[in-house]
Amino acid sequence: GGQWVQALRLLVEMAHARVELDTITYNAAVSACEKGGQWDLALRLLAEMAHARVELDTITYCAAVSACEKGGQWDRALGLLV
């Protein structure tokens, strides 16, 4: 269940190493948050992606919606779909 912690740590380390974070790296982190039940962190990553002008794709949205669903955050999940 702690893989989301490792994924976020790796994302931070990559950023510090000046590795360009792209849709694939963010999607891996969002998916890890989804699997770990961390809907709030998943949504925070989506906001970070938008701020960094990284493309959000179908995988991004599916993982975020699933994270919200698992956390009982139906209103937030619906908000991602409209």
Side-chain angles (χ1 to χ4, degrees):
Q3 288 188 340
W4 64 271
V5 175
Q6 292 177 337
L8 293 180
R9 187 176 297 136
L10 183 58
L11 208 63
V12 169
E13 288 175 10
M14 290 173 69
H16 284 149
R18 304 213 188 281
V19 174
E20 183 178 348
L21 303 178
D22 60 10
T23 303
I24 294 170
T25 53
Y26 273 107
N27 282 353
V30 172
S31 292
C33 288
E34 178 258 329
K35 288 175 178 57
Q38 303 297 315
W39 64 268
D40 53 337
L41 292 176
L43 293 182
R44 209 172 303 160
L45 286 172
L46 260 65
E48 188 177 309
M49 289 175 76
H51 180 74
R53 300 178 195 257
V54 174
E55 180 184 357
L56 287 78
D57 63 9
T58 304
I59 295 169
T60 313
Y61 284 108
C62 285
V65 167
S66 181
C68 290
E69 176 266 324
K70 289 180 179 178
Q73 302 295 315
W74 291 103
D75 55 334
R76 295 176 194 270
L78 289 174
L80 293 171
L81 298 175
V82 293

